[in-house]
Amino acid sequence: MADRDAFTYFRPLIHTSWGSLALLALSAAGAAWYFFGAFYLQFFHGHQLTGQGTHGAMWGSMVANIVQLIGVSHVGIAISATVRILKLRRYQQLARVAELVTLVSLTAAVCNIAGDVGRPDRFLTNVIKNGNYTGPFVWSASVITNYLVGSCVYLYLAMRRDIYLCSCVLPRRRWLYRILSLGYTDTPEERENHERTVWWCAVIILPIMVSVHSVYGWVFGLNSGRPGWFNPFQAPYFVLGAIVTGFSGVIVITALVRRVYKWEEFFPNRMFKGLGIFLGFVTLLYLYFLFSEVLTGVYTAPEAERGVLHDLLFGRFATIAWAATVGGMVVPFFILFVQGANPRICSMRVVVAAALPIFIAMWCWRYLITVPSFFHSHVPYRLAEYAPTLFDWSLVVATYSFGVFFYLSLVKLLPVLEIPEKFKPACPARPPRITLGERRRWGALKRVSIGATLATGAGLIAAGIASRHRVEIPAPAIWISGIVCLWTIPLQACLLPGFPSAGRVRAHMARMEPGLLRAPRPAATAVGLTECAASPATIEYWIDEQFGASRGIRRRPEIRGIG
C-alpha cells in the first residue's frame, strides 16, 4: 500500500488540529463537572437539586437520557455484528465507527445510572449484593454487565490486528501499541483465528443486545401502579425505539467523522442513502406503535390512562409531544422517503438533516414516557410539580460532553478505520520461535484452560441462580461474576497459541497451494524417507511456514515426485 493510502487510514492518529484540541478541552471540562461537581452536590444534597422529589416525579430527564444512550449503543454493535456476519463489504468501515459509538454511549449510560441513583455505593450494595432476583433492576445490572463486557471483548478482538499495524507504522507510540496488541504478529493462523472468534462473538452479542433494551422495557412495563407503563408490548416498543435512536445517532456521528477527516471515499453518499432508507422504515414502524398506543389509551382505557394521554395530547406535555411527533418524526420520514424513492437524489446532508431531529424527538419521547405517569399515580396525596432544573439540564449536557471527550480520545488513540489485509508493514514482527511440540503442548493447555473457564463460569451462574432465595449469599454478584468469566473465553481462544487441527491445515493448504494435496505418489528414497504429498512431514513444514511456527528450526524435507 502506498504511503498516501497509509496516511489516509492513520490520519486521526498522526494529525491533530487546534479545533480538535479545543473541543477535547471543552468536553473534558463538561465531563469533569459531571463526575466531580454534580456527584458531590447530589451526594450531600440529594435529588432535590434536579427538581425531583418523593411526592412528585422520582424519575426525570436523567432516566430519559439513560434509555436514549442505551438505545444508541444497541445499534452501534448491531451494525458491526450484522456487517461481519453477512459480510457487507460496503458498510465495513462503518462497523468500526459504530463499535466505538457503542462503547462510548454504553459507558455514558452506566455513568448516568450511577449519577441518577445519587448514592452509587448503596446501589451496588442493594442491587449487586442484596438484590432480589425478581427485581427488574437486578436484571438490568446483569444484562448491562454482560453487554458491556461482551462489547469490549468484541471490539478489542476486532481491532487487535489494526493496533498491531499501528505499532509498525507509528514509532512515537510503538511501545503503547505493542502492549495493547499483546504479542499479535499477523500470521495467517492468527488472522483466521480472530475472524472465526469475532464472528461467533457477533452471533452471541446480537441476542444480548435485544435483551438489554427488553429489560428496560420491562422495568417500565411491569409497574402495574403506573398508568401508561403497564403494557406487555413495552419490550418490543423499547427495542424498536432503540433501533430508531441508534440509527439516527450513528448517521450523525458518521457524517461528522467523514467531514472532519475527509473520508468521503470510505463513507460515500450512497451508503448514507441506504442508512436513510432503513431509518425511514423503522421510523414509520415506531409511528405505528405510537399511534396504536394513543388509540388504545384514548378509546377504552381506565381513568388514569386517559389522564396520562390527555396530558400528552392536550395538557401540560402537549407542546413537546406534538412537536416531537410531527416535527421530529413525520416530517423527517417524508424527507427520507422522497430521497429513497428518487434515484436522482443521493445526499448525505439530506439524511443528516432528517436523522438529527429524529434523534432529538426520540429523547423527547423518552422523557414523555418517563415523567407524565408520575402525575397520575394511585397515591392518596397531592403530587408536587416537576420541571427539570438548570442543574438537571447541566447533567444532560455534561453527559454528552463526556461522550464527546471519550469518543475523541478513542479516535486519537485507536484506529477508526479497519485496515485492509493488503496492507503489509515494511518491518513486520517476527513470529515467536515455537517448535511443533511446544505448539501441541500449548494447544492442549489452551483446550484445558477454555474448558476450565467454561465450567467455572457456568458453575458460578448456576450457583448464583440456585442461591437466589438465600439472603445471606450475594446471588447477583455470583452470577454476574460467572458472566464475566465466560467472556474471557474468546480472549483465551485468540491470545493463547495453539496447534491447528488437521482439517484446518488441509483446507488452508488446498486454498494456498493446491498441488500439495494431489493424489499421493511415492517419493524417492534418496534421503531414507518415503514421503507423500500430504504426509505428516509436509503438513508440519506447512505449519512452520504458513502458520507462524518456528523459523530455521525444522528444514523442509526433500519431497520428490510432486508434479
Side-chain angles (χ1 to χ4, degrees), residues 240 320 327:
L240 180 60
I320 302 175

Side-chain angles (χ1 to χ4, degrees), residues 108-129:
V110 173
C111 295
N112 270 196
I113 295 173
D116 184 67
V117 297
R119 292 289 301 269
D121 53 334
R122 293 182 179 178
F123 177 79
L124 294 175
T125 302
N126 295 332
V127 176
I128 305 299
K129 182 179 178 181

Side-chain angles (χ1 to χ4, degrees), residues 266-522:
F266 301 115
F267 308 108
N269 290 334
R270 181 65 57 182
M271 185 194 73
F272 279 94
K273 183 171 183 176
L275 294 175
I277 292 173
F278 186 81
L279 177 61
F281 173 72
V282 293
T283 302
L284 181 62
L285 286 181
Y286 191 84
L287 287 171
Y288 169 72
F289 269 67
L290 193 60
F291 173 76
S292 300
E293 182 184 18
V294 172
L295 178 64
T296 305
V298 173
Y299 192 69
T300 57
E303 181 179 354
E305 297 278 349
R306 288 200 303 272
V308 172
L309 266 298
H310 184 273
D311 266 3
L312 289 177
L313 298 178
F314 312 107
R316 70 186 84 186
F317 302 104
T319 303
I320 302 175
W322 286 106
T325 305
V326 178
M329 291 187 187
V330 176
V331 174
F333 165 74
F334 279 105
I335 294 175
L336 296 174
F337 177 79
V338 169
Q339 177 172 252
N342 193 334
R344 293 177 297 179
I345 303 177
C346 185
S347 172
M348 179 198 72
R349 295 182 178 180
V350 172
V351 178
V352 174
L356 185 59
I358 290 177
F359 184 85
I360 298 174
M362 290 304 300
W363 191 96
C364 293
W365 268 107
R366 297 289 187 266
Y367 180 85
L368 295 176
I369 291 173
T370 304
V371 175
S373 177
F374 288 101
F375 293 98
H376 299 273
S377 58
H378 308 292
V379 292
Y381 50 78
R382 187 179 65 85
L383 294 170
E385 294 291 328
Y386 165 74
T389 62
L390 182 61
F391 179 84
D392 206 8
W393 287 119
S394 72
L395 295 182
V396 176
V397 174
T399 299
Y400 289 98
S401 297
F402 165 72
V404 172
F405 171 76
F406 193 13
Y407 196 87
L408 286 176
S409 302
L410 292 177
V411 167
K412 298 303 298 179
L413 180 65
L414 301 175
V416 182
L417 297 180
E418 187 170 343
I419 315 299
E421 290 190 8
K422 65 180 180 179
F423 180 83
K424 301 293 182 183
C427 299
R430 291 179 61 86
R433 295 179 175 272
I434 304 176
T435 63
L436 294 175
E438 291 174 342
R439 291 181 69 83
R440 290 191 179 95
R441 288 192 291 272
W442 272 108
L445 178 62
K446 183 177 181 179
R447 289 189 290 271
V448 171
S449 175
I450 292 177
T453 304
L454 179 61
T456 302
L460 288 173
I461 294 175
I465 295 175
S467 60
R468 63 188 184 276
H469 297 290
R470 302 179 64 178
V471 180
E472 68 277 7
I473 297 179
I478 294 175
W479 71 57
I480 290 176
S481 300
I483 292 172
V484 175
C485 184
L486 290 179
W487 273 114
T488 62
I489 292 178
L491 294 176
Q492 297 177 46
C494 292
L495 297 181
L496 297 178
F499 189 82
S501 64
R504 287 173 52 203
V505 172
R506 291 177 182 274
H508 195 79
M509 291 169 64
R511 183 170 65 252
M512 300 298 295
E513 293 187 24
L516 286 178
L517 290 184
R518 293 179 180 178
R521 301 178 185 175

Side-chain angles (χ1 to χ4, degrees), residues 189-205:
E189 179 191 13
E190 286 181 308
R191 286 199 298 269
E192 182 184 356
N193 192 20
H194 276 69
E195 285 294 327
R196 183 175 58 255
T197 304
V198 171
W199 190 90
W200 280 108
C201 286
V203 172
I204 294 171
I205 211 167

Side-chain angles (χ1 to χ4, degrees), residues 43-221:
F43 189 87
F44 288 100
H45 299 284
H47 278 141
Q48 62 181 351
L49 296 172
T50 65
Q52 303 174 42
T54 306
H55 290 177
M58 292 178 288
W59 290 354
S61 59
M62 290 301 293
V63 173
N65 211 38
I66 291 168
V67 180
Q68 180 86 350
L69 290 171
I70 292 179
V72 175
S73 71
H74 284 16
V75 172
I77 206 70
I79 291 175
S80 176
T82 304
V83 168
R84 193 169 299 276
I85 292 173
L86 301 181
K87 301 185 185 302
L88 303 176
R89 299 301 180 187
R90 179 187 300 179
Y91 300 93
Q92 182 177 359
Q93 297 300 346
L94 177 65
R96 179 62 54 78
V97 176
E99 290 167 6
L100 296 179
V101 169
T102 291
L103 182 59
V104 170
S105 58
L106 191 58
T107 305
V110 173
C111 295
N112 270 196
I113 295 173
D116 184 67
V117 297
R119 292 289 301 269
D121 53 334
R122 293 182 179 178
F123 177 79
L124 294 175
T125 302
N126 295 332
V127 176
I128 305 299
K129 182 179 178 181
N130 302 323
N132 192 328
Y133 75 98
T134 60
F137 280 105
V138 175
W139 310 347
S140 174
S142 301
V143 295
I144 282 188
T145 303
N146 191 7
Y147 189 47
L148 180 59
V149 175
S151 299
C152 292
V153 171
Y154 175 83
L155 176 60
Y156 173 72
L157 294 180
M159 194 182 288
R160 193 180 176 202
R161 177 179 179 270
D162 300 330
I163 294 174
Y164 156 75
L165 294 176
C166 290
S167 70
C168 298
V169 299
L170 300 176
R172 293 184 178 180
R173 285 181 280 181
R174 181 170 297 166
W175 62 273
L176 175 62
Y177 293 121
R178 284 181 177 177
I179 294 174
L180 294 177
S181 62
L182 295 177
Y184 184 85
T185 54
D186 200 29
T187 61
E189 179 191 13
E190 286 181 308
R191 286 199 298 269
E192 182 184 356
N193 192 20
H194 276 69
E195 285 294 327
R196 183 175 58 255
T197 304
V198 171
W199 190 90
W200 280 108
C201 286
V203 172
I204 294 171
I205 211 167
L206 281 178
I208 296 175
M209 174 206 71
V210 176
S211 70
V212 174
H213 225 67
S214 297
V215 165
Y216 268 86
W218 292 327
V219 168
F220 286 82

